[in-house]
Amino acid sequence: MTQWGDTGLSGAPVKNPSTGVVEYVMEGPPQYLVWYHAVGLIWITEFIFAFQQMTIAGAVVTYYFTRNKSQLPATPILSSVARTILYHLGTLAKGSFIITLVKIPRLILTYIHNQLKGKNAYTATAINSTSFCTSARDALLILVENALRVSAINTVGDFVLFLAKVLVVSCTAFAGVLALNYQKDYTVWVLPLLIVLLFAFLVAHCFLSVFENVVDVLFLCFAVDTKYNDGSPGREFYMDKALMEYVENSKKNKYMAGNEGDQEMKSMSN
């Protein structure tokens, strides 16, 4: 007897001889729909992550490349969200779909997955309004040109973020011990404390990932700024005065180090 609303996707009823329970076994093409839903889940997840990264990148890029800070929008996040919805949803959909295709066979295409999954492609899209593949290529070239700076920033940044997570978890552990110590009903409070610490780490990771994203976007903006501008009339830097002073001091230090090296070579030759 055919039940109302039966689409044939529940499987064929088969009675288990050992338990006597009727089980539904998927047969034919419907049994492969699980892969369809898995791909869709990964794609939607990557699209949500891409939208978040694009929104943050758009707000930071607007702040960085606006010379007159008084002309900044009153709500930069909402402006970035609106700009992303109006102009970049196709880029996000294409980029997240490409990342999904690379992420599924990750054991075979790990290197390609790591190259495409970076947030830098969305930052390059926010700067130049180019497609995902073009932005990924441009961001990769800029990162290769600034490999030493990338290594230094990643090392220091990851260490600082790790210390911040440890600080949050430590403070939560201290507060949890004080709170549970006065709960006479709990004889064993180690397990609740461990669960609280786990959630504290996850919350800290979610919040600090935003700061990590901002640092990555600012560095790529700085790299693009120093690549196409030199501070001369008509090619002024977009960076603020503090960062500009740092760049000028680093240039002076390199120049002085080069002169000292030349003088040492001349004295040795004499």
Side-chain angles (χ1 to χ4, degrees):
M1 182 177 65
T2 303
Q3 297 181 353
W4 175 259
D6 185 9
T7 59
L9 298 179
S10 59
V14 177
K15 185 175 182 180
N16 192 323
S18 59
T19 61
V21 177
V22 177
E23 301 175 352
Y24 287 86
V25 180
M26 296 291 294
E27 296 179 352
Q31 64 181 327
Y32 301 107
L33 288 177
V34 62
W35 297 108
Y36 170 80
H37 290 291
V39 173
L41 176 63
I42 297 175
W43 189 2
I44 293 174
T45 303
E46 291 294 336
F47 181 84
I48 294 174
F49 286 154
F51 192 93
Q52 174 196 1
Q53 295 164 3
M54 188 70 184
T55 301
I56 297 174
V60 175
V61 166
T62 300
Y63 170 80
Y64 189 95
F65 288 103
T66 301
R67 299 188 187 276
N68 188 359
K69 303 304 181 184
S70 62
Q71 297 179 353
L72 289 171
T75 56
I77 296 295
L78 295 180
S79 299
S80 181
V81 169
R83 187 166 56 250
T84 301
I85 294 175
L86 291 175
Y87 302 109
H88 300 304
L89 283 183
T91 297
L92 300 185
K94 179 181 178 182
S96 58
F97 181 70
I98 293 176
I99 293 174
T100 300
L101 293 180
V102 174
K103 193 171 185 178
I104 294 175
R106 62 183 307 172
L107 295 178
I108 303 175
L109 302 173
T110 302
Y111 175 77
I112 301 177
H113 166 67
N114 291 332
Q115 294 298 322
L116 293 182
K117 192 185 163 104
K119 302 182 266 304
N120 300 305
Y122 299 118
T123 303
T125 299
I127 296 174
N128 300 321
S129 296
T130 52
S131 63
F132 178 79
C133 295
T134 303
S135 300
R137 182 199 62 193
D138 295 340
L140 181 60
L141 292 177
I142 293 176
L143 293 178
V144 169
E145 294 174 357
N146 298 271
L148 295 179
R149 291 176 176 175
V150 171
S151 177
I153 290 178
N154 286 340
T155 302
V156 176
D158 291 343
F159 181 70
V160 172
L161 291 176
F162 173 75
L163 290 181
K165 295 175 184 178
V166 171
L167 179 62
V168 171
V169 174
S170 300
C171 294
T172 305
F174 180 74
V177 170
L178 292 180
L180 294 175
N181 192 33
Y182 293 100
Q183 298 293 331
K184 304 301 182 181
D185 297 335
Y186 294 105
T187 57
V188 179
W189 42 265
V190 176
L191 181 59
L193 182 61
L194 292 178
I195 296 176
V196 170
L197 295 182
L198 176 61
F199 278 96
F201 177 81
L202 294 177
V203 172
H205 176 74
C206 292
F207 278 93
L208 292 175
S209 63
V210 176
F211 291 97
E212 182 182 6
N213 197 0
V214 170
V215 171
D216 293 339
V217 174
L218 281 176
F219 173 76
L220 195 61
C221 292
F222 168 76
V224 173
D225 194 11
T226 54
K227 180 178 180 180
Y228 295 104
N229 300 310
D230 55 6
S232 61
R235 298 180 61 185
E236 294 84 0
F237 289 116
Y238 285 93
M239 66 186 74
D240 55 17
K241 294 182 179 180
L243 188 56
M244 190 179 302
E245 291 177 358
Y246 170 77
V247 174
E248 294 297 331
N249 292 332
S250 63
K251 288 182 179 179
K252 292 179 181 179
N253 292 333
K254 289 181 180 180
Y255 179 75
M256 294 175 61
N259 290 339
E260 290 178 358
D262 294 339
Q263 291 178 359
E264 290 179 0
M265 293 295 294
K266 291 179 181 179
S267 60
M268 292 176 61
S269 62
N270 294 332

